Amino acid sequence: MKGEIKRGLIYSLVALGISSVTLQVLLMRELLAYTGGNELVIGIYLSFWMLYTGLGSFLGRYFRVNVEKLVPLFQFILLAVSVIAYLSIPLLRIQHGDFISVIGVTDLIFLTLLVLLLPCLILGMLFPFISGALYEKGTGKLSSYSYGFEAAGS
């Protein structure tokens, strides 16, 4: 693997960590602001965040892409996730207005399902793509470092 491609993939892992944490904090803050925020809201939000990200990671291991095409693809996908997250915030405001509202558990679950579906699936799929591309047969060294690079971005 060329050094330039490997470096681009490592930068993509760091950017993935940054965008994932930023997105999680931003969407949680918005959801808490529009629901009044309590432990139930945080628990439902985090459970769907982990469920969708894990599902995306599970699905992502079945897709293989040419390594030379990965770096621009990941940059585009991270940009697309940012746009999706930006569009998710008005979805919260349309659903419940610009004030704190008391919503039922069913509405809260539906709203969280809707808002987190695309960003979490996409972010979950990116990690196995990048770590699989960094994997060098026989060593597995860079694949194990991919966790560290992604955590460095967080």
Side-chain angles (χ1 to χ4, degrees), residues 52-126:
Y52 283 151
T53 305
L55 182 63
S57 183
F58 178 76
L59 295 174
R61 69 183 184 163
Y62 292 112
F63 297 102
R64 296 289 174 231
V65 182
N66 190 355
V67 175
E68 282 79 24
K69 297 178 183 178
L70 285 177
V71 176
L73 176 68
F74 291 144
Q75 293 168 351
F76 173 76
I77 290 173
L78 286 172
L79 180 64
V81 167
S82 300
V83 171
I84 290 170
Y86 182 74
L87 296 175
S88 296
I89 293 171
L91 181 64
L92 287 170
R93 292 180 183 162
I94 290 170
Q95 180 75 16
H96 294 289
D98 286 331
F99 56 87
I100 295 175
S101 61
V102 178
I103 61 175
V105 175
T106 307
D107 290 338
L108 176 65
I109 290 172
F110 178 72
L111 182 63
T112 308
L113 281 168
L114 192 62
V115 168
L116 293 181
L117 179 66
L118 282 177
C120 290
L121 279 176
I122 292 170
L123 289 173
M125 285 178 137
L126 282 178

Coordinates of all heavy atoms in Angstrom, one line a residue, residues 52-126:
Y52 N -27.6 1.5 16.2 CA -27.4 1.8 14.8 C -26.0 1.8 14.4 O -25.6 1.4 13.3 CB -28.0 3.2 14.5 CG -29.5 3.2 14.4 CD1 -30.3 4.3 14.7 CD2 -30.2 2.1 14.0 CE1 -31.6 4.4 14.6 CE2 -31.6 2.1 13.9 CZ -32.3 3.2 14.2 OH -33.7 3.2 14.1
T53 N -25.1 2.3 15.3 CA -23.7 2.3 15.0 C -23.2 0.8 14.9 O -22.4 0.5 14.0 CB -22.9 3.1 16.0 OG1 -23.4 4.4 16.1 CG2 -21.4 3.2 15.6
G54 N -23.6 0.0 15.8 CA -23.2 -1.4 15.7 C -23.8 -2.1 14.5 O -23.1 -2.9 13.9
L55 N -25.0 -1.8 14.1 CA -25.6 -2.3 12.9 C -24.9 -1.9 11.7 O -24.6 -2.7 10.8 CB -27.1 -2.0 12.8 CG -27.9 -2.5 11.7 CD1 -27.9 -4.0 11.7 CD2 -29.3 -1.9 11.7
G56 N -24.5 -0.6 11.7 CA -23.7 -0.1 10.5 C -22.3 -0.8 10.4 O -21.9 -1.1 9.4
S57 N -21.7 -1.0 11.6 CA -20.4 -1.7 11.6 C -20.6 -3.2 11.1 O -19.7 -3.7 10.4 CB -19.8 -1.7 13.0 OG -18.6 -2.2 13.1
F58 N -21.6 -3.8 11.6 CA -21.9 -5.2 11.1 C -22.1 -5.2 9.6 O -21.6 -6.1 8.9 CB -23.1 -5.7 11.9 CG -23.5 -7.1 11.5 CD1 -22.8 -8.2 11.9 CD2 -24.6 -7.3 10.6 CE1 -23.1 -9.5 11.5 CE2 -25.0 -8.6 10.3 CZ -24.2 -9.7 10.7
L59 N -22.9 -4.3 9.1 CA -23.2 -4.3 7.6 C -21.9 -3.9 6.9 O -21.7 -4.3 5.7 CB -24.3 -3.4 7.3 CG -25.7 -3.8 7.9 CD1 -26.7 -2.7 7.6 CD2 -26.1 -5.1 7.3
G60 N -21.1 -3.0 7.4 CA -20.0 -2.5 6.7 C -18.9 -3.5 6.4 O -18.1 -3.3 5.5
R61 N -18.9 -4.6 7.2 CA -17.8 -5.6 7.0 C -18.1 -6.4 5.7 O -17.2 -7.1 5.3 CB -17.7 -6.4 8.2 CG -18.8 -7.4 8.5 CD -18.6 -8.1 9.7 NE -19.7 -9.1 9.9 CZ -19.7 -10.1 10.7 NH1 -18.6 -10.3 11.4 NH2 -20.7 -10.9 10.8
Y62 N -19.3 -6.3 5.2 CA -19.6 -7.1 4.0 C -19.4 -6.4 2.7 O -19.5 -6.9 1.6 CB -21.1 -7.5 4.0 CG -21.4 -8.5 5.1 CD1 -22.2 -8.1 6.2 CD2 -20.9 -9.8 5.1 CE1 -22.4 -9.0 7.2 CE2 -21.1 -10.7 6.1 CZ -21.9 -10.3 7.2 OH -22.1 -11.2 8.2
F63 N -19.0 -5.1 2.8 CA -18.7 -4.3 1.6 C -17.2 -4.1 1.4 O -16.5 -3.8 2.3 CB -19.4 -2.9 1.6 CG -20.9 -3.0 1.7 CD1 -21.6 -2.8 2.9 CD2 -21.6 -3.3 0.6 CE1 -22.9 -2.9 3.0 CE2 -23.0 -3.3 0.6 CZ -23.7 -3.1 1.8
R64 N -16.7 -4.3 0.2 CA -15.3 -4.2 -0.1 C -15.2 -3.2 -1.3 O -15.9 -3.2 -2.2 CB -14.6 -5.5 -0.5 CG -14.6 -6.5 0.6 CD -13.7 -6.0 1.7 NE -13.8 -6.9 2.9 CZ -14.0 -6.5 4.1 NH1 -14.1 -5.2 4.4 NH2 -14.1 -7.3 5.1
V65 N -14.3 -2.2 -1.1 CA -14.1 -1.2 -2.1 C -12.6 -1.2 -2.4 O -11.7 -1.5 -1.6 CB -14.5 0.2 -1.6 CG1 -14.3 1.2 -2.6 CG2 -16.0 0.1 -1.2
N66 N -12.2 -0.8 -3.6 CA -10.8 -0.6 -4.1 C -10.1 0.4 -3.2 O -10.6 1.5 -3.0 CB -10.8 -0.2 -5.5 CG -9.4 -0.3 -6.1 OD1 -8.4 -0.6 -5.4 ND2 -9.3 -0.1 -7.4
V67 N -9.0 0.1 -2.6 CA -8.3 0.9 -1.7 C -7.9 2.3 -2.3 O -8.0 3.3 -1.6 CB -7.0 0.2 -1.1 CG1 -6.2 1.1 -0.2 CG2 -7.4 -1.1 -0.4
E68 N -7.5 2.3 -3.5 CA -7.2 3.6 -4.1 C -8.3 4.6 -4.2 O -8.2 5.8 -4.2 CB -6.6 3.4 -5.5 CG -5.1 2.9 -5.5 CD -5.0 1.4 -5.3 OE1 -6.0 0.7 -5.5 OE2 -4.0 1.0 -4.8
K69 N -9.5 4.1 -4.2 CA -10.7 4.9 -4.3 C -11.3 5.3 -2.9 O -12.2 6.0 -2.8 CB -11.8 4.2 -5.1 CG -11.4 3.9 -6.6 CD -12.5 3.2 -7.3 CE -12.1 2.9 -8.7 NZ -13.1 2.1 -9.4
L70 N -10.7 4.7 -1.9 CA -11.3 4.9 -0.6 C -11.2 6.3 0.0 O -12.2 6.8 0.6 CB -10.7 3.9 0.4 CG -11.1 2.4 0.3 CD1 -10.3 1.6 1.3 CD2 -12.6 2.3 0.6
V71 N -10.0 6.9 -0.1 CA -9.8 8.2 0.6 C -10.8 9.2 0.1 O -11.5 9.9 0.9 CB -8.4 8.6 0.4 CG1 -8.1 10.0 1.1 CG2 -7.4 7.6 1.1
P72 N -11.0 9.5 -1.2 CA -12.0 10.5 -1.6 C -13.4 10.0 -1.3 O -14.2 10.9 -0.9 CB -11.8 10.5 -3.2 CG -10.5 9.9 -3.5 CD -10.2 9.0 -2.4
L73 N -13.7 8.8 -1.3 CA -15.0 8.3 -0.9 C -15.3 8.6 0.5 O -16.4 9.1 0.9 CB -15.1 6.8 -1.2 CG -16.4 6.1 -0.8 CD1 -17.5 6.6 -1.7 CD2 -16.2 4.6 -0.8
F74 N -14.3 8.3 1.4 CA -14.5 8.6 2.8 C -14.7 10.1 3.1 O -15.5 10.5 4.0 CB -13.4 8.0 3.7 CG -13.3 6.5 3.7 CD1 -12.1 5.9 3.7 CD2 -14.5 5.8 3.7 CE1 -12.1 4.5 3.8 CE2 -14.5 4.4 3.7 CZ -13.3 3.8 3.8
Q75 N -13.9 10.9 2.4 CA -14.1 12.3 2.6 C -15.4 12.8 2.2 O -16.1 13.6 2.8 CB -13.0 13.1 1.8 CG -11.6 12.8 2.4 CD -10.5 13.3 1.5 OE1 -10.7 13.7 0.3 NE2 -9.3 13.3 2.0
F76 N -15.9 12.2 1.1 CA -17.3 12.6 0.6 C -18.3 12.1 1.6 O -19.3 12.8 1.9 CB -17.6 12.0 -0.8 CG -19.0 12.2 -1.2 CD1 -19.4 13.4 -1.7 CD2 -19.9 11.1 -1.2 CE1 -20.7 13.6 -2.1 CE2 -21.2 11.3 -1.6 CZ -21.6 12.5 -2.0
I77 N -18.2 10.9 2.1 CA -19.2 10.3 3.1 C -19.2 11.1 4.4 O -20.3 11.4 4.9 CB -18.9 8.8 3.3 CG1 -19.2 8.0 2.1 CG2 -19.7 8.3 4.5 CD1 -18.8 6.6 2.2
L78 N -18.0 11.5 4.9 CA -18.0 12.3 6.1 C -18.7 13.7 5.9 O -19.4 14.2 6.8 CB -16.6 12.5 6.6 CG -15.9 11.3 7.2 CD1 -14.4 11.5 7.5 CD2 -16.6 10.9 8.5
L79 N -18.5 14.3 4.7 CA -19.2 15.5 4.4 C -20.7 15.3 4.3 O -21.5 16.1 4.8 CB -18.6 16.1 3.0 CG -19.3 17.4 2.6 CD1 -18.9 18.5 3.5 CD2 -18.7 17.7 1.2
A80 N -21.1 14.2 3.7 CA -22.5 13.8 3.6 C -23.1 13.6 5.0 O -24.3 14.1 5.2 CB -22.7 12.6 2.7
V81 N -22.4 13.0 5.9 CA -22.9 12.8 7.2 C -23.1 14.2 7.9 O -24.1 14.4 8.6 CB -22.0 11.9 8.1 CG1 -22.4 11.9 9.5 CG2 -22.1 10.5 7.5
S82 N -22.2 15.1 7.7 CA -22.4 16.4 8.3 C -23.6 17.1 7.7 O -24.3 17.8 8.5 CB -21.1 17.3 7.9 OG -20.0 16.7 8.4
V83 N -23.9 17.0 6.4 CA -25.1 17.6 5.9 C -26.3 16.9 6.4 O -27.3 17.6 6.8 CB -25.1 17.5 4.3 CG1 -26.4 17.9 3.7 CG2 -23.9 18.3 3.8
I84 N -26.3 15.6 6.6 CA -27.5 14.9 7.1 C -27.7 15.3 8.6 O -28.9 15.5 9.0 CB -27.2 13.3 7.0 CG1 -27.3 12.9 5.6 CG2 -28.2 12.6 7.9 CD1 -26.8 11.5 5.4
A85 N -26.7 15.5 9.3 CA -26.8 15.9 10.7 C -27.4 17.3 10.7 O -28.2 17.7 11.6 CB -25.5 15.9 11.4
Y86 N -26.9 18.2 9.8 CA -27.4 19.6 9.8 C -28.9 19.6 9.5 O -29.6 20.4 10.0 CB -26.6 20.3 8.7 CG -27.0 21.8 8.6 CD1 -26.7 22.7 9.6 CD2 -27.8 22.2 7.5 CE1 -27.0 24.0 9.5 CE2 -28.1 23.5 7.4 CZ -27.8 24.4 8.4 OH -28.1 25.7 8.3
L87 N -29.3 18.6 8.6 CA -30.7 18.6 8.3 C -31.6 17.9 9.3 O -32.8 18.0 9.3 CB -30.9 17.8 6.9 CG -30.3 18.5 5.7 CD1 -30.4 17.6 4.5 CD2 -30.9 19.9 5.5
S88 N -31.0 17.1 10.2 CA -31.7 16.5 11.3 C -32.2 17.4 12.4 O -33.2 17.2 13.0 CB -30.8 15.4 12.0 OG -30.5 14.4 11.0
I89 N -31.4 18.5 12.6 CA -31.8 19.5 13.6 C -33.1 20.1 13.3 O -34.0 20.2 14.1 CB -30.7 20.5 13.8 CG1 -29.5 19.7 14.4 CG2 -31.1 21.6 14.8 CD1 -28.2 20.5 14.5
P90 N -33.4 20.6 12.0 CA -34.7 21.2 11.7 C -35.8 20.2 11.9 O -36.9 20.5 12.1 CB -34.6 21.7 10.3 CG -33.1 21.9 10.1 CD -32.4 20.9 11.0
L91 N -35.5 18.9 11.7 CA -36.5 17.8 11.8 C -37.0 17.8 13.3 O -38.2 17.7 13.5 CB -35.9 16.5 11.5 CG -36.8 15.3 11.5 CD1 -37.9 15.4 10.5 CD2 -36.0 14.0 11.3
L92 N -36.1 18.0 14.2 CA -36.5 18.1 15.6 C -37.4 19.3 15.8 O -38.4 19.3 16.6 CB -35.3 18.2 16.5 CG -34.4 16.9 16.7 CD1 -33.1 17.2 17.4 CD2 -35.2 15.9 17.5
R93 N -37.0 20.4 15.2 CA -37.8 21.7 15.4 C -39.1 21.6 14.8 O -40.1 22.1 15.3 CB -37.0 22.8 14.9 CG -35.7 23.1 15.7 CD -34.9 24.2 15.2 NE -33.7 24.3 16.1 CZ -32.7 25.0 15.7 NH1 -32.6 25.7 14.6 NH2 -31.6 25.1 16.5
I94 N -39.2 21.0 13.6 CA -40.5 20.8 12.9 C -41.4 19.9 13.8 O -42.6 20.2 13.9 CB -40.3 20.2 11.5 CG1 -39.7 21.3 10.6 CG2 -41.7 19.8 11.0 CD1 -39.2 20.7 9.3
Q95 N -40.9 18.9 14.3 CA -41.6 17.9 15.1 C -42.3 18.5 16.3 O -43.4 18.3 16.7 CB -40.7 16.7 15.5 CG -41.4 15.6 16.3 CD -42.3 14.8 15.4 OE1 -42.2 14.8 14.2 NE2 -43.2 14.0 16.0
H96 N -41.5 19.4 17.0 CA -42.0 19.9 18.3 C -41.9 21.4 18.5 O -42.1 21.8 19.6 CB -41.3 19.1 19.5 CG -41.6 17.7 19.5 ND1 -42.8 17.2 19.9 CD2 -40.8 16.6 19.1 CE1 -42.8 15.9 19.8 NE2 -41.6 15.5 19.3
G97 N -41.6 22.1 17.6 CA -41.5 23.6 17.7 C -40.2 24.0 18.4 O -39.3 23.2 18.7
D98 N -40.1 25.3 18.6 CA -38.9 25.9 19.2 C -39.0 26.0 20.7 O -38.4 26.9 21.3 CB -38.6 27.3 18.6 CG -38.0 27.1 17.2 OD1 -37.4 26.1 16.9 OD2 -38.2 28.0 16.4
F99 N -39.7 25.2 21.4 CA -39.9 25.3 22.8 C -39.7 23.9 23.4 O -39.8 22.9 22.7 CB -41.2 25.9 23.2 CG -42.4 25.2 22.6 CD1 -42.9 24.1 23.3 CD2 -42.9 25.6 21.4 CE1 -44.0 23.4 22.7 CE2 -43.9 24.9 20.8 CZ -44.5 23.8 21.5
I100 N -39.5 23.9 24.7 CA -39.4 22.6 25.4 C -40.8 22.0 25.5 O -41.8 22.6 25.9 CB -38.8 22.8 26.8 CG1 -37.4 23.3 26.7 CG2 -38.9 21.5 27.6 CD1 -36.8 23.6 28.1
S101 N -40.9 20.8 25.0 CA -42.2 20.1 25.0 C -42.1 18.8 25.7 O -41.1 18.2 25.8 CB -42.7 19.9 23.6 OG -41.8 19.1 22.9
V102 N -43.2 18.4 26.3 CA -43.3 17.1 26.9 C -43.9 16.1 25.9 O -45.0 16.3 25.5 CB -44.1 17.2 28.2 CG1 -44.2 15.8 28.9 CG2 -43.6 18.2 29.2
I103 N -43.1 15.1 25.6 CA -43.6 14.2 24.6 C -43.6 12.8 25.3 O -42.9 12.5 26.2 CB -42.7 14.1 23.3 CG1 -41.3 13.7 23.6 CG2 -42.8 15.5 22.6 CD1 -40.5 13.6 22.4
G104 N -44.5 11.9 24.7 CA -44.6 10.6 25.2 C -43.4 9.7 24.9 O -42.6 10.1 24.0
V105 N -43.3 8.6 25.5 CA -42.2 7.7 25.2 C -42.2 7.2 23.8 O -41.2 7.1 23.1 CB -42.2 6.5 26.2 CG1 -41.1 5.5 25.9 CG2 -42.0 7.0 27.6
T106 N -43.4 6.9 23.3 CA -43.6 6.4 21.9 C -43.1 7.5 20.9 O -42.3 7.1 20.0 CB -45.0 6.1 21.6 OG1 -45.5 5.2 22.6 CG2 -45.2 5.4 20.3
D107 N -43.5 8.7 21.1 CA -43.0 9.8 20.2 C -41.5 10.0 20.3 O -40.8 10.2 19.3 CB -43.7 11.1 20.5 CG -45.2 11.1 20.1 OD1 -45.5 10.3 19.3 OD2 -45.9 11.9 20.7
L108 N -41.0 9.9 21.5 CA -39.5 10.0 21.8 C -38.8 8.9 21.0 O -37.8 9.2 20.4 CB -39.2 10.0 23.3 CG -37.8 10.0 23.6 CD1 -37.2 11.4 23.2 CD2 -37.6 9.8 25.1
I109 N -39.2 7.7 21.1 CA -38.6 6.6 20.4 C -38.6 6.8 18.9 O -37.6 6.6 18.2 CB -39.2 5.2 20.9 CG1 -38.8 4.9 22.3 CG2 -38.8 4.1 19.9 CD1 -39.5 3.7 22.9
F110 N -39.8 7.2 18.4 CA -39.9 7.4 17.0 C -39.0 8.5 16.5 O -38.3 8.4 15.5 CB -41.4 7.7 16.6 CG -41.6 8.0 15.2 CD1 -41.5 7.0 14.2 CD2 -41.8 9.3 14.7 CE1 -41.6 7.2 12.9 CE2 -42.0 9.6 13.4 CZ -41.9 8.5 12.4
L111 N -39.0 9.6 17.2 CA -38.1 10.7 16.9 C -36.6 10.4 16.9 O -35.9 10.7 16.0 CB -38.4 11.9 17.9 CG -37.6 13.2 17.6 CD1 -38.1 13.8 16.3 CD2 -37.9 14.2 18.7
T112 N -36.2 9.6 17.9 CA -34.8 9.2 18.0 C -34.5 8.2 16.9 O -33.4 8.3 16.3 CB -34.6 8.6 19.4 OG1 -35.0 9.5 20.4 CG2 -33.1 8.3 19.6
L113 N -35.4 7.3 16.6 CA -35.2 6.4 15.5 C -35.0 7.1 14.2 O -34.1 6.8 13.4 CB -36.4 5.5 15.3 CG -36.6 4.3 16.2 CD1 -38.0 3.7 16.1 CD2 -35.5 3.2 15.9
L114 N -35.8 8.1 14.0 CA -35.7 8.9 12.7 C -34.5 9.7 12.6 O -33.8 9.8 11.6 CB -37.0 9.7 12.6 CG -37.3 10.4 11.3 CD1 -37.5 9.3 10.2 CD2 -38.5 11.3 11.4
V115 N -34.1 10.4 13.7 CA -33.0 11.4 13.6 C -31.7 10.6 13.6 O -30.8 11.1 12.9 CB -33.1 12.3 14.8 CG1 -31.8 13.1 15.0 CG2 -34.3 13.2 14.7
L116 N -31.5 9.5 14.2 CA -30.2 8.9 14.3 C -30.0 7.8 13.3 O -28.8 7.4 13.1 CB -30.1 8.2 15.7 CG -30.0 9.1 16.9 CD1 -29.8 8.3 18.2 CD2 -28.8 10.1 16.7
L117 N -31.0 7.4 12.5 CA -30.8 6.3 11.6 C -29.7 6.5 10.6 O -28.7 5.7 10.6 CB -32.1 6.0 10.8 CG -32.1 4.9 9.8 CD1 -31.9 3.6 10.5 CD2 -33.4 4.9 9.0
L118 N -29.7 7.5 9.7 CA -28.7 7.6 8.7 C -27.3 8.0 9.2 O -26.4 7.3 8.8 CB -29.2 8.6 7.7 CG -30.2 8.1 6.7 CD1 -30.6 9.2 5.7 CD2 -29.6 7.0 5.9
P119 N -27.2 9.0 10.1 CA -25.8 9.3 10.5 C -25.1 8.1 11.2 O -24.0 7.9 11.0 CB -26.0 10.5 11.5 CG -27.3 11.1 11.2 CD -28.2 9.9 10.6
C120 N -25.8 7.4 12.1 CA -25.2 6.3 12.8 C -24.9 5.1 12.0 O -23.8 4.5 12.1 CB -26.1 5.9 14.0 SG -26.2 7.1 15.3
L121 N -25.7 4.8 11.0 CA -25.4 3.7 10.1 C -24.2 4.0 9.3 O -23.3 3.2 9.1 CB -26.6 3.4 9.2 CG -27.7 2.5 9.8 CD1 -28.9 2.4 8.8 CD2 -27.2 1.2 10.2
I122 N -24.2 5.2 8.8 CA -23.0 5.6 7.9 C -21.7 5.6 8.7 O -20.7 5.1 8.3 CB -23.3 7.0 7.2 CG1 -24.5 6.8 6.2 CG2 -22.1 7.5 6.5 CD1 -25.0 8.1 5.7
L123 N -21.7 6.3 9.9 CA -20.5 6.3 10.7 C -20.1 4.9 11.1 O -18.9 4.6 11.2 CB -20.7 7.2 11.9 CG -20.8 8.7 11.6 CD1 -21.2 9.5 12.9 CD2 -19.5 9.2 11.0
G124 N -21.1 4.1 11.4 CA -20.7 2.7 11.8 C -20.1 1.9 10.7 O -19.3 1.1 10.9
M125 N -20.6 2.2 9.5 CA -20.0 1.4 8.3 C -18.6 1.9 8.0 O -17.8 1.1 7.4 CB -20.9 1.7 7.1 CG -22.2 0.9 7.1 SD -23.1 1.3 5.6 CE -23.7 -0.3 5.2
L126 N -18.3 3.1 8.3 CA -17.0 3.6 7.8 C -15.8 3.0 8.6 O -14.8 2.7 8.0 CB -16.9 5.1 8.1 CG -17.6 6.0 7.0 CD1 -17.5 7.5 7.4 CD2 -17.0 5.8 5.7

